[in-house]
Every structure is written in structure tokens, then in C-alpha cells.
């Protein structure tokens, strides 16, 4: 960087100081200038035109100075006072020039810093521009993918819509077919019900005829007339030659008549069924009187009646067999070598002995004797009224490990039910069974 300064007074001073750095440039019309080098900067001072001894050669100047130094002291052209004044002026200008140089250096540094900042900003701007371009490129790719996905989704949606319409059409056709089948099934069920009713009526007629003959002391067997007593239980029916399971009429003490279901297939036959559960069609949460007299139909779910069971088990010794079926198709049984119950004054107390079977190593019925309880007759050994809490009439004792007259729960709903049809030592305390049958047979059968 070169700075040109023109000061008339400064030039005059330099003229008196010396002309060792003065040069005349032909390009400037023969004008003289003085150049001072300071670091990277050079300062040129333009001097006014001057006629003087400066045109002398350097050698002449050297000789003249030497002569003056060796010669006796001669008074100079300028006084010492004026020379000091000029030196002071030169010192002030030198300081001023130093300040200019310092300010110039600071300006250069600031300019350099500004240039660096501008470069950094430009670099950052370029990076951000590149990032924006990359983002735009990614956005373009994403938009392209989104368009492709939208196209695929539209195709899938159209396909699903078409499939849905086809399924709806198929469901409509199947619904119509199901409705027609239901109508046919309803007609067939009606016809079947009529046939079953006729069959039951026919069987009742046959049984009534058989029982009538037995009551009169005459039984047709093998085409012969034989003297025979009325049937006391299903064992008598079986021994009389009727070995098909079904409903028969028996007489207790030759007086009380009762229709019962006789199981002639299980373990040699001759079993009189006193309780049966199979489908939940009958409510077993009944009163004391209903359990006393019995309820239900022997062809389905029923309870024979405590009064009749008492009379039946009082005429001879019986064994008790309890058949159980769970919802997984597993069968089990519990059998007792002695079974009878007390009369109504004894709350139809249960008496059992000798437990065997596959429904648990331990009996789920209490063996030491328990009174019968219903929702309106609490005879258990618990303050909680087991018949109300567990539902149904049963020999609860202190609620106990069994209740075959509890609530009927269907498959999938039968677990975790304390008030269901339970037999603790077969399926646990909260599993409700699918079906049960309680049946008795004479000990000496």
C-alpha cells in the first residue's frame, strides 16, 4: 500500500535536511520526490521544484561535508533555534505518521477479520444451500415414493372393495340358505317333538299296563302268567326282564307311586337315578318344599325328592354311585357302599360309608353326616348360609367340597365359579361340571 503526501512545509524541511533520497522522474515532468519504506508500506513525498546545489554529485557533497567538518567553525545558514524548531516539527510529523500507520494497520486487521467473517458466512451459506438442495432432493424422492405408495394403496383398496362386495354377496346368499335350513330344521324339530311325545305316551301306556298287571299280582313274562310284586326300584324292573334304560314307575311300600329313570346300561344296570344334570334347562335354586317333593322330568334334568329318597332307602340297603363328566369329555365316578338319608325331622341327614372311585382319592361328600339345606332352610354348620351363597339344595355341612345342584355354567364360562356344579376332588373348588347323575342300587343286587 502506497500513500502520497504533499506538504509544502514538509518538503521545505526535507530540502534543508538533505537530498540523498531525492530523485527526479521524467514521468513527472522532472519533479522531485522522496520515498520512505516502512514495513510493507512505502511513503512518497512530492517535493516542490528547487534550484540549488542539490544537482551536485554525491562525491561533491561528500567532499564539501568533509571540508566543512575539517574547516574551522563557520556560522550555519540557519540558526540553532530554527533548526530545533524544524526538528520538533519533524518529530510531530513522525508521530503523526506513526499514528497513521497504526490506524492503517488496525484497519487492515479489521478488514482482514471482516474478510474472514465474510468467507465463513459465505461458506456457511454454501453449506446451508447444499443442505437445502439435499433436503429438496430427499423431498422429491419422498414425494415420488408417496405417489407410488398411494398408487399401490389405491390398487389394494380397489381390490379389497371388490373382495368385500364379493363377500357381502356370498354372505347374503349364505344367509338366505341358512334361513331356509332353519325353516326346515324348525319343521323337522316340530315333527321330531311330536314323534317324541307320541313315543313317550306310548312308553307310558306300556309301563302303566305293566305296572297295572304287577299291581294286580299278575306279570306277563315269556307268555306265562306269574305272580309278581310291584317294582320297588329299578333293580326289580331289571330283574323282571326290562333291561332297557328309560322311564319306569316304581312303588314304595306298595303305596307311593313315582316315575323314575332307570339306567340299565351302567355296570350291570338296575340303577335308580335320583338326580340328573345335563344342559342347564332346569333351575335348581328351589325351596325346601320343592326339594322335599321333587321337581323336573325324569327324561331330562330332575331331583327325585327327599321324602321319596328317604322312603326308598329305608326299605333296604343301597349303594350310591355318582357319575361326573367335565367339559373336556373326561368321566369319573365316586361310589359309596352304604347310602341312606333321615326323615324330614332329621333334616334329611346324609349317611355314607365306604368311598371308592376315580373322582378323587378323598370323598367330596362328608361321610360323618350332614343335614340338607335350601335357600329358605339353613341347616349347615356355617354362619354364611351356604345354600344362598353357593345356590341349590345340598348337604353342605360347612359349605363343603361338593354341590351338584349349583348353577349350570356353559363351556368357557365354567372356570372360577364357586357356585357352580362342583366336585372338589375331581376338578377343584371352582370348576363347574358339564353333567352329573346320582343313582342308587340295592347292596345285594
Amino acid at each position: 500500500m502506497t500513500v502520497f503526501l504533499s506538504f509544502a512545509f514538509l518538503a521545505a524541511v526535507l530540502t534543508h535536511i538533505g537530498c540523498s533520497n531525492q530523485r527526479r522522474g521524467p514521468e513527472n515532468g522532472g519533479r522531485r520526490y522522496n520515498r520512505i519504506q516502512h514495513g510493507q508500506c512505502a511513503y512518497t513525498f512530492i517535493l516542490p521544484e528547487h534550484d540549488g546545489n542539490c544537482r551536485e554529485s554525491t562525491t561533491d557533497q561528500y567532499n564539501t561535508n568533509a571540508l566543512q567538518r575539517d574547516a574551522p567553525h563557520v556560522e550555519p545558514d540557519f540558526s540553532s533555534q530554527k533548526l530545533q524548531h524544524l526538528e520538533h516539527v519533524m518529530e510531530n510529523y513522525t508521530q503523526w505518521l506513526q499514528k497513521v500507520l497504526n490506524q492503517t494497520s488496525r484497519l487492515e486487521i479489521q478488514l482482514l477479520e471482516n474478510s474472514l467473517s465474510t468467507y465463513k458466512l459465505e461458506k456457511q451459506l454454501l453449506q446451508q444451500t447444499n443442505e437445502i438442495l439435499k433436503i429438496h432432493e430427499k423431498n422429491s424422492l419422498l414425494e415420488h415414493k408417496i405417489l407410488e405408495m398411494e398408487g399401490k394403496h389405491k390398487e389394494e383398496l380397489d381390490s379389497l372393495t371388490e373382495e368385500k362386495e364379493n363377500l357381502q354377496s356370498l354372505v347374503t346368499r349364505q344367509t338366505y340358505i341358512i334361513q331356509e335350513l332353519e325353516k326346515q330344521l324348525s319343521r323337522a324339530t316340530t315333527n321330531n317333538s311330536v314323534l317324541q311325545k307320541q313315543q313317550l305316551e306310548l312308553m307310558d301306556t306300556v309301563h302303566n299296563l305293566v305296572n297295572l298287571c304287577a299291581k294286580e299280582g299278575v306279570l306277563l313274562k315269556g307268555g306265562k302268567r306269574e305272580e309278581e310284586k310291584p317294582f320297588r326300584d329299578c333293580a326289580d324292573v331289571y330283574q323282571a326282564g326290562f333291561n332297557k334304560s328309560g322311564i319306569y314307575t316304581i312303588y314304595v311300600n306298595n303305596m307311593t307311586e313315582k316315575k323314575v329313570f332307570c339306567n340299565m346300561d351302567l355296570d350291570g344296570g338296575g340303577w335308580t337315578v335320583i338326580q340328573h344334570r345335563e344342559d342347564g334347562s332346569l333351575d335348581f335354586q328351589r325351596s325346601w318344599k320343592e326339594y322335599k317333593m321333587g321337581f323336573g322330568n325324569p327324561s331330562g334334568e330332575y331331583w327325585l325328592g327327599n321324602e321319596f329318597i328317604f322312603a326308598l332307602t329305608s326299605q333296604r340297603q343301597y349303594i350310591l354311585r355318582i357319575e361326573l363328566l367335565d367339559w373336556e369329555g373326561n368321566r369319573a365316578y365316586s361310589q359309596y357302599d352304604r347310602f341312606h338319608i333321615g326323615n324330614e325331622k332329621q333334616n334329611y341327614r346324609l349317611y355314607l360309608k365306604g368311598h371308592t372311585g376315580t373322582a378323587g382319592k378323598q370323598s367330596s361328600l362328608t361321610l360323618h353326616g350332614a343335614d340338607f339345606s335350601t335357600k329358605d332352610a339353613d341347616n349347615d354348620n356355617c354362619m354364611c348360609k351356604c345354600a344362598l351363597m353357593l345356590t341349590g339344595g345340598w348337604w353342605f355341612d360347612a359349605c363343603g367340597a361338593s354341590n351338584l345342584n349349583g348353577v349350570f355354567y356353559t363351556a368357557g364360562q365354567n372356570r372360577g365359579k364357586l357356585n357352580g356344579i362342583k366336585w372338589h376332588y375331581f376338578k377343584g373348588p371352582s370348576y363347574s361340571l358339564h353333567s352329573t347323575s346320582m343313582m342308587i342300587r340295592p347292596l345285594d343286587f
Side-chain angles (χ1 to χ4, degrees), residues 142-181:
L142 288 174
E143 288 177 357
H144 181 67
K145 290 182 179 179
I146 288 172
L147 290 175
E148 290 181 351
M149 292 175 65
E150 286 179 350
K152 291 181 180 179
H153 287 165
K154 188 176 183 304
E155 292 177 359
E156 292 177 357
L157 182 61
D158 293 339
S159 177
L160 289 174
T161 302
E162 183 179 358
E163 185 177 356
K164 179 182 177 182
E165 291 176 353
N166 294 333
L167 288 175
Q168 286 179 343
S169 177
L170 179 61
V171 167
T172 302
R173 292 196 299 270
Q174 289 181 345
T175 302
Y176 175 76
I177 295 172
I178 290 172
Q179 289 175 352
E180 291 297 320
L181 290 174

Side-chain angles (χ1 to χ4, degrees), residues 79-107:
S79 64
S80 297
Q81 183 178 1
K82 194 167 185 178
L83 183 60
Q84 289 178 356
H85 175 71
L86 291 174
E87 288 178 354
H88 178 70
V89 171
M90 282 298 297
E91 183 179 357
N92 290 338
Y93 276 103
T94 301
Q95 292 178 357
W96 178 80
L97 286 174
Q98 186 66 38
K99 289 181 181 179
V100 171
L101 289 174
N102 291 337
Q103 289 179 356
T104 304
S105 299
R106 285 197 296 271
L107 289 172

Side-chain angles (χ1 to χ4, degrees), residues 430-442:
S430 59
Y431 184 103
S432 185
L433 297 168
H434 179 276
S435 67
T436 66
S437 290
M438 297 178 65
M439 55 192 75
I440 60 174
R441 187 172 68 181

Side-chain angles (χ1 to χ4, degrees), residues 274 306 309-320 336-343 346 348-353 367 369-370 395 440:
I274 64 174
N306 289 338
I309 296 173
F310 161 69
L312 186 62
T313 57
S314 297
Q315 58 187 359
R316 51 180 171 171
Q317 292 184 340
Y318 284 88
I319 62 175
L320 171 67
Y336 300 87
D337 295 337
R338 296 287 189 278
F339 165 76
H340 72 277
I341 65 173
N343 57 27
Q346 297 172 321
Y348 301 114
R349 180 169 296 176
L350 176 67
Y351 297 95
L352 294 171
K353 286 184 181 180
L367 297 177
W395 297 280
I440 60 174

Side-chain angles (χ1 to χ4, degrees), residues 180-230:
E180 291 297 320
L181 290 174
E182 286 178 347
K183 291 178 182 179
Q184 296 177 8
L185 179 61
S186 178
R187 290 194 294 268
T189 303
T190 303
N191 294 334
N192 189 34
S193 300
V194 172
L195 291 174
Q196 287 181 346
K197 185 177 181 181
Q198 292 176 355
Q199 183 180 5
L200 288 174
E201 290 177 353
L202 181 60
M203 289 181 65
D204 287 341
T205 302
V206 172
H207 291 156
N208 289 335
L209 289 174
V210 171
N211 291 329
L212 180 61
C213 293
K215 192 172 184 180
E216 293 176 353
V218 178
L219 176 65
L220 295 176
K221 183 178 181 181
K224 298 181 181 179
R225 289 173 60 91
E226 294 186 4
E227 294 294 328
E228 189 70 28
K229 295 180 180 180

